[in-house]
PDB file of all heavy atoms in Angstrom:
ATOM      1  N   GLY E  26      91.944  87.993  33.099  1.00 37.00           N
ATOM      2  CA  GLY E  26      93.318  87.776  33.527  1.00 37.00           C
ATOM      3  C   GLY E  26      94.304  88.206  32.472  1.00 37.00           C
ATOM      4  O   GLY E  26      95.342  88.798  32.761  1.00 37.00           O
ATOM      5  N   ALA E  27      93.972  87.927  31.203  1.00 39.00           N
ATOM      6  CA  ALA E  27      94.857  88.333  30.115  1.00 39.00           C
ATOM      7  C   ALA E  27      94.918  89.850  30.022  1.00 39.00           C
ATOM      8  O   ALA E  27      95.965  90.435  29.767  1.00 39.00           O
ATOM      9  CB  ALA E  27      94.364  87.736  28.792  1.00 39.00           C
ATOM     10  N   GLY E  28      93.755  90.508  30.265  1.00 42.00           N
ATOM     11  CA  GLY E  28      93.741  91.962  30.221  1.00 42.00           C
ATOM     12  C   GLY E  28      94.562  92.564  31.337  1.00 42.00           C
ATOM     13  O   GLY E  28      95.281  93.541  31.148  1.00 42.00           O
ATOM     14  N   ALA E  29      94.481  91.942  32.528  1.00 39.00           N
ATOM     15  CA  ALA E  29      95.259  92.436  33.659  1.00 39.00           C
ATOM     16  C   ALA E  29      96.747  92.273  33.389  1.00 39.00           C
ATOM     17  O   ALA E  29      97.561  93.119  33.736  1.00 39.00           O
ATOM     18  CB  ALA E  29      94.863  91.683  34.934  1.00 39.00           C
ATOM     19  N   ALA E  30      97.096  91.148  32.747  1.00 39.00           N
ATOM     20  CA  ALA E  30      98.505  90.906  32.451  1.00 39.00           C
ATOM     21  C   ALA E  30      99.035  91.946  31.481  1.00 39.00           C
ATOM     22  O   ALA E  30     100.172  92.406  31.585  1.00 39.00           O
ATOM     23  CB  ALA E  30      98.677  89.502  31.862  1.00 39.00           C
ATOM     24  N   SER E  31      98.186  92.372  30.512  1.00 42.00           N
ATOM     25  CA  SER E  31      98.647  93.340  29.524  1.00 42.00           C
ATOM     26  C   SER E  31      98.843  94.715  30.132  1.00 42.00           C
ATOM     27  O   SER E  31      99.538  95.552  29.581  1.00 42.00           O
ATOM     28  CB  SER E  31      97.644  93.424  28.367  1.00 42.00           C
ATOM     29  OG  SER E  31      96.410  93.945  28.827  1.00 42.00           O
ATOM     30  N   ALA E  32      98.223  94.949  31.316  1.00 44.00           N
ATOM     31  CA  ALA E  32      98.357  96.246  31.965  1.00 44.00           C
ATOM     32  C   ALA E  32      99.637  96.351  32.778  1.00 44.00           C
ATOM     33  O   ALA E  32     100.016  97.423  33.224  1.00 44.00           O
ATOM     34  CB  ALA E  32      97.151  96.501  32.881  1.00 44.00           C
ATOM     35  N   GLN E  33     100.330  95.216  33.014  1.00 43.00           N
ATOM     36  CA  GLN E  33     101.548  95.235  33.803  1.00 43.00           C
ATOM     37  C   GLN E  33     102.658  95.925  33.020  1.00 43.00           C
ATOM     38  O   GLN E  33     102.825  95.706  31.821  1.00 43.00           O
ATOM     39  CB  GLN E  33     101.977  93.798  34.137  1.00 43.00           C
ATOM     40  CG  GLN E  33     100.979  93.058  35.017  1.00 43.00           C
ATOM     41  CD  GLN E  33     100.826  93.708  36.373  1.00 43.00           C
ATOM     42  OE1 GLN E  33     101.809  94.182  36.950  1.00 43.00           O
ATOM     43  NE2 GLN E  33      99.605  93.760  36.878  1.00 43.00           N
ATOM     44  N   PRO E  34     103.477  96.765  33.694  1.00 43.00           N
ATOM     45  CA  PRO E  34     104.543  97.471  32.983  1.00 43.00           C
ATOM     46  C   PRO E  34     105.644  96.547  32.506  1.00 43.00           C
ATOM     47  O   PRO E  34     106.319  96.828  31.542  1.00 43.00           O
ATOM     48  CB  PRO E  34     105.064  98.469  34.035  1.00 43.00           C
ATOM     49  CG  PRO E  34     104.690  97.862  35.353  1.00 43.00           C
ATOM     50  CD  PRO E  34     103.383  97.165  35.103  1.00 43.00           C
ATOM     51  N   ARG E  35     105.857  95.426  33.208  1.00 41.00           N
ATOM     52  CA  ARG E  35     106.898  94.493  32.815  1.00 41.00           C
ATOM     53  C   ARG E  35     106.284  93.113  32.742  1.00 41.00           C
ATOM     54  O   ARG E  35     105.599  92.681  33.652  1.00 41.00           O
ATOM     55  CB  ARG E  35     108.065  94.497  33.814  1.00 41.00           C
ATOM     56  CG  ARG E  35     108.781  95.842  33.904  1.00 41.00           C
ATOM     57  CD  ARG E  35     109.903  95.764  34.925  1.00 41.00           C
ATOM     58  NE  ARG E  35     110.926  94.811  34.525  1.00 41.00           N
ATOM     59  CZ  ARG E  35     111.959  95.137  33.759  1.00 41.00           C
ATOM     60  NH1 ARG E  35     112.086  96.361  33.299  1.00 41.00           N
ATOM     61  NH2 ARG E  35     112.860  94.236  33.442  1.00 41.00           N
ATOM     62  N   ALA E  36     106.533  92.385  31.675  1.00 39.00           N
ATOM     63  CA  ALA E  36     105.983  91.042  31.522  1.00 39.00           C
ATOM     64  C   ALA E  36     107.066  90.024  31.797  1.00 39.00           C
ATOM     65  O   ALA E  36     108.244  90.260  31.542  1.00 39.00           O
ATOM     66  CB  ALA E  36     105.437  90.841  30.102  1.00 39.00           C
ATOM     67  N   ALA E  37     106.653  88.857  32.309  1.00 37.00           N
ATOM     68  CA  ALA E  37     107.620  87.813  32.623  1.00 37.00           C
ATOM     69  C   ALA E  37     108.105  87.122  31.362  1.00 37.00           C
ATOM     70  O   ALA E  37     109.145  86.484  31.355  1.00 37.00           O
ATOM     71  CB  ALA E  37     106.994  86.787  33.570  1.00 37.00           C
ATOM     72  N   THR E  38     107.331  87.224  30.276  1.00 35.00           N
ATOM     73  CA  THR E  38     107.725  86.589  29.029  1.00 35.00           C
ATOM     74  C   THR E  38     107.934  87.640  27.962  1.00 35.00           C
ATOM     75  O   THR E  38     107.452  88.763  28.058  1.00 35.00           O
ATOM     76  CB  THR E  38     106.631  85.607  28.561  1.00 35.00           C
ATOM     77  OG1 THR E  38     105.403  86.329  28.454  1.00 35.00           O
ATOM     78  CG2 THR E  38     106.460  84.472  29.553  1.00 35.00           C
ATOM     79  N   THR E  39     108.662  87.270  26.934  1.00 35.00           N
ATOM     80  CA  THR E  39     108.943  88.193  25.844  1.00 35.00           C
ATOM     81  C   THR E  39     107.711  88.378  24.987  1.00 35.00           C
ATOM     82  O   THR E  39     107.026  87.421  24.660  1.00 35.00           O
ATOM     83  CB  THR E  39     110.083  87.643  24.969  1.00 35.00           C
ATOM     84  OG1 THR E  39     111.222  87.439  25.793  1.00 35.00           O
ATOM     85  CG2 THR E  39     110.413  88.615  23.850  1.00 35.00           C
ATOM     86  N   VAL E  40     107.409  89.614  24.620  1.00 35.00           N
ATOM     87  CA  VAL E  40     106.266  89.903  23.772  1.00 35.00           C
ATOM     88  C   VAL E  40     106.750  90.603  22.526  1.00 35.00           C
ATOM     89  O   VAL E  40     107.815  91.216  22.501  1.00 35.00           O
ATOM     90  CB  VAL E  40     105.226  90.789  24.503  1.00 35.00           C
ATOM     91  CG1 VAL E  40     104.668  90.065  25.706  1.00 35.00           C
ATOM     92  CG2 VAL E  40     105.828  92.122  24.921  1.00 35.00           C
ATOM     93  N   ALA E  41     105.932  90.535  21.471  1.00 38.00           N
ATOM     94  CA  ALA E  41     106.293  91.168  20.204  1.00 38.00           C
ATOM     95  C   ALA E  41     105.558  92.481  20.066  1.00 38.00           C
ATOM     96  O   ALA E  41     104.376  92.585  20.385  1.00 38.00           O
ATOM     97  CB  ALA E  41     105.928  90.243  19.041  1.00 38.00           C
ATOM     98  N   THR E  42     106.250  93.517  19.585  1.00 38.00           N
ATOM     99  CA  THR E  42     105.650  94.828  19.387  1.00 38.00           C
ATOM    100  C   THR E  42     105.491  95.084  17.901  1.00 38.00           C
ATOM    101  O   THR E  42     106.413  94.881  17.120  1.00 38.00           O
ATOM    102  CB  THR E  42     106.530  95.921  20.014  1.00 38.00           C
ATOM    103  OG1 THR E  42     106.670  95.649  21.404  1.00 38.00           O
ATOM    104  CG2 THR E  42     105.909  97.292  19.819  1.00 38.00           C
TER     105      THR E  42
END
Side-chain angles (χ1 to χ4, degrees):
S31 65
Q33 296 297 322
R35 297 179 64 88
T38 56
T39 302
V40 297
T42 301

